Amino acid sequence: MSGERDEITQLRAPPAVAADAILLADADPEARVWLRTIVAGRYELDEADTGEAALERIAAGAARIVIVGRRLADMTGEALVERAAGVFAPDRRAPVLFLLADPRGETAPIDDTQVPVFYRLVRGMAAARVHELLTQAAARLPPMPPREPDRALRALVSEHAKAIGAELDPEAAARAAVAAIVQLVGADRARCLYCDEETGLLWSGTGAPGPGGAPAAPSPGKAEPEEEAEAPESPVSAGLAGFAVRAVAGVVVPHAADDALYRADIDDPEGTGRERLAIQPVAGSDGHVHAVLIAVRGPSRPPFSSADLAKLEALASGWAPYILHLSMRIEADQILGDRLDRGPSDMFRQQAIMHLVRRGQRGDVVRVHPGWVRAAYWLVLGALAATAVFALVAQVHQYAEGVGVVQFTGRTELLAHEAGTIATLDAARGQRVQRGQVLARLYDAEQVGQLKTLETDFESKLVAYLQSPADPGVKQALGQARAQRDSARLGVEARTIRAPHAGTVKEVLVRGGQRVLPGTVVLSLIERTAAEGLKVLAFLPADERPRLRAHQSLRLTLPGYRGAEITSEVHAISEVLGAAEARARFLGDRLGDSVPLVGAVVVVEARLASPTFTADGETFELHDGMIGRAEVKMQSRSLIQSVIPGLR
């Protein structure tokens, strides 16, 4: 098996061209099954149980997100990360690294300061939390370049799809699908299973019985009975075929019996368990899976590749509209057949129709009383008059809308000037500090050690200078040593965060051991409580700048607080800025991308009179960084002027 260790199950999300590929490097089969069920239908998953196979795929750039377990077949997870450390350099083109804990909850001992680890996953985490982590990791990656379509493959798949769709019988369509699979991916044999998600059953497309004992057709319709079709049904809740249906994702299995999800009676009744499998669901535009395509190769042949699975995916996509139409046609034939068996439509009872004919009475098409016509005339006339008066009197207010962010004023934010890890935090929220007091330090062992070395070198150069003050070479060496020592002192001091003035610590925004980047806000100080206030920054569309002016009314609403409206007046207006520049100038890195800004914007500032607001009869406090919807009242006009622009 040493030569086959890199032949690991692959999972392909439906939109595989736009999906972010995940590489799982772990020798634990239970870990692979756990992650496979979580990422199914969302990402393209590749698995490797040896470090050498994982290194090859990482070096080839095939994985954008890499998850490394504690131990692989030929090395530890720590050794794998050390050998690939250069690939995980902190830039936007590098893959994102996760670590996966073993059953005891331990992960590979990786130093985050040397190799950036995005998160340490623990087996048993809720799927929603894992999805959120993977989504945030994928957001840090650059967009995938578009792939050029294979025109020859597209034409071939189109021909096969048309040939399958031309068949009006489910069994004939299944046989055509099997022939297409064998030709497209070079399979030794193939299967086509129809699926009914409502009943939770899979059955063979060569005459398997449907629910209730009748031979089935593509869901939801059922074909006419055929006595010779007695193939067994299978549940969707088991087997690799059932997994492909529920996950709506293609699966490549190099060795069927090695996969924990394999069920021979469902996936390959004719196989021995050593065959290579490729399984692809066929999902219609209604979102339901109607069939499953299974390609099989013998154990002596090479396993299916991602390119083979892409061909099956293209075939499934091309057949999907036809199989949906086939299902609808069979269902309609069944309904019409049932009605013909029951006789004429029973919408009206035949006895009532015959009784009416015998009476010989015929009614008027519409009987209208003249009094109602006169009343309706005056009613409509009055409604038109009221509408005209309302259009003249009613006012329509025009607002400029955008994102509003609450910020405190009177605070001093202390930033990290270099990247590093928070070694010590010497201040707590509410603590009184003096000017120059050390509040936090970044990890500076390397800088301190370098400074000590340079100080020792400076002292030796100084002694040499005192012994030979007339020697120009000794004097020049002393000057260089002094400059290097002073530069090292500044480097150590840059990793120390001190209070610029006396005051009170208002917020501590980092924790010990946290990795920070230049510009990260570490904590904030307030010199005097009376100097602290609140303001609202509203990011409005740039084309509203000519209509904005001071003292216009601004209204801020907060999501999640019903009836909460905070009113103020416009105090200051910026010039037109780009979204990135506005975010950097007014928000910094603290809020990140949580404030959605697109295109050019103009920033409006308004001061708030109270630090509280009322919602549902309760009073709440405003906090720095709260995000809401800001509206600035621009102008008002009557309803008729709004409807007819020429009257303005």
Side-chain angles (χ1 to χ4, degrees), residues 161 282-286 288 290 314-326:
V282 182
S285 59
D286 57 353
H288 295 287
H290 296 282
L315 179 62
S317 178
W319 186 27
Y322 298 104
I323 195 173
L324 182 59
H325 293 165
L326 178 61

Side-chain angles (χ1 to χ4, degrees), residues 524-545:
S524 61
L525 291 178
I526 180 172
E527 189 171 0
R528 301 188 315 275
T529 305
E532 188 176 20
L534 283 172
K535 66 179 180 181
V536 174
L537 294 178
F539 298 85
L540 307 179
D543 54 4
E544 301 290 354
R545 180 62 182 88

